[in-house]
């Protein structure tokens, strides 16, 4: 399972990268705005900084909502850096643009996916990644994890190569549940990754080992 970090915060990205378990980064316009990154030039420069920090795929989202605009923007984003993946919204023009980019061998991430039918369309259009938003479904009392299971079944039935990128992951249990369900990738905040480290018995056990070592060597 690949671990992506869902942020535009360079410190968090660097910390996850330093841990040695990071496979990529996802961003969106809200995450950029949260870091105070505004204006096309600053946003493009920020993508460059993110690509310099990590080795894997970096999703950069288009803000156009029409096919021609998405193609222009996506081509410009893809030309920025080989690690850039063009992130497209799941609307009709987004699906058309996904097919356009997949035919050209440019990686895509189809985002804002909330149903199995939408995920089927993204796979048919040749998406590299499909991003079902599990946390936002949970927010409205709908089982986000069930969507991951449905997409896994559909993709496996037909051998679709589109990777399921569980998005809107909010916490560590989401990460574990997505892994159990066979999600190819998860993207979440740094806390969702660091939470995997935690177990009180690890801390207690380590403290005891160190104390016993000190006793034997004093
Ligand atoms: C996915 O690529 C999105 O950036 C993200 O996961 C959305 O998460 P949120 O629902 O926590 O905003």
């Amino acid at each position: 399972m690949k671990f992506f970090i869902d942020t535009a915060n360079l410190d968090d990205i660097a910390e996850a990268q330093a841990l040695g378990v990071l496979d990529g980064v996802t961003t969106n316009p809200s995450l950029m705005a949260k870091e105070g990154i505004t204006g096309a030039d600053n946003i493009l420069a920020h993508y460059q900084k993110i690509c310099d920090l990590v080795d894997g795929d970096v999703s950069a989202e288009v803000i156009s909502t029409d096919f021609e605009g998405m193609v222009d923007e996506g081509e410009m984003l893809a030309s920025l850096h080989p690690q850039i993946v063009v992130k497209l919204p799941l609307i009709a023009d987004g699906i058309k643009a996904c097919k356009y980019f997949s035919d050209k061998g440019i990686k895509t991430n189809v985002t804002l996916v909330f149903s199995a039918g939408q995920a089927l369309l993204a796979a048919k259009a040749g998406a590299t990644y499909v991003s079902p938003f599990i946390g936002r479904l949970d927010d409205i009392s709908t089982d986000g994890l069930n969507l991951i299971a449905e997409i896994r079944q559909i993709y496996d039935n037909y051998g679709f190569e589109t990777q399921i990128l569980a998005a809107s992951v909010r916490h560590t249990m989401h990460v574990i549940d997505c892994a159990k369900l066979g999600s190819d990738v998860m993207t979440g905040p740094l806390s969702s990754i660091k939470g995997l480290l935690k177990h009180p018995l690890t801390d207690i056990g380590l403290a005891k080992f160190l104390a016993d070592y000190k006793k034997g060597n004093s």
Side-chain angles (χ1 to χ4, degrees):
M1 186 194 202
K2 292 183 198 165
F3 278 12
F4 288 179
I5 190 167
D6 193 32
T7 186
N9 183 286
L10 298 179
D11 291 337
D12 283 2
I13 294 169
E15 189 174 339
Q17 174 69 21
L19 199 55
V21 298
L22 193 66
D23 300 296
V25 179
T26 52
T27 61
N28 64 40
S30 305
L31 292 170
M32 283 287 184
K34 191 174 162 197
E35 299 305 320
I37 315 295
T38 54
D41 289 348
N42 291 332
I43 290 172
L44 296 182
H46 205 70
Y47 285 138
Q48 187 66 52
K49 285 181 195 165
I50 294 173
C51 290
D52 289 343
L53 272 179
V54 299
D55 300 321
D57 286 346
V58 175
S59 288
E61 188 158 344
V62 301
I63 49 157
S64 302
T65 54
D66 63 298
F67 174 74
E68 288 77 15
M70 287 185 198
V71 164
D72 287 350
E73 219 185 311
E75 282 183 337
M76 184 268 294
L77 288 168
S79 70
L80 263 186
H81 199 283
Q83 284 166 246
I84 293 285
V85 174
V86 180
K87 199 173 179 190
L88 302 156
L90 199 143
I91 55 177
D93 282 32
I95 289 296
K96 285 186 213 167
C98 177
K99 176 78 175 111
Y100 172 88
F101 286 119
S102 70
D103 285 348
K104 288 189 82 174
I106 293 174
K107 285 186 179 179
T108 53
N109 174 359
V110 175
T111 190
L112 290 167
V113 169
F114 294 94
S115 77
Q118 291 178 320
L120 180 55
L121 271 178
K124 291 281 294 173
T128 313
Y129 299 105
V130 65
S131 288
F133 277 36
I134 61 174
R136 292 192 195 184
L137 283 170
D138 289 354
D139 288 344
I140 57 158
S141 309
T142 304
D143 187 353
L145 289 168
N146 184 54
L147 177 57
I148 301 293
E150 284 185 315
I151 300 171
R152 182 73 284 154
Q153 182 183 355
I154 291 168
Y155 283 10
D156 287 351
N157 281 349
Y158 297 99
F160 284 120
E161 287 179 8
T162 299
Q163 294 176 56
I164 303 172
L165 196 176
S168 189
V169 159
R170 299 279 171 74
H171 49 70
T172 299
M173 276 313 295
H174 271 158
V175 179
I176 295 166
D177 286 331
C178 285
K180 283 157 87 173
L181 290 168
S183 191
D184 300 290
V185 193
M186 79 84 202
T187 191
L190 181 61
S191 58
S192 68
I193 298 173
K194 285 172 75 178
L196 295 166
L197 288 165
K198 292 181 190 160
H199 200 289
L201 291 179
T202 304
D203 299 336
I204 292 166
L206 181 60
K208 172 107 174 70
F209 285 154
L210 295 179
D212 288 345
Y213 174 83
K214 267 190 196 162
K215 271 190 237 162
N217 289 281
S218 58

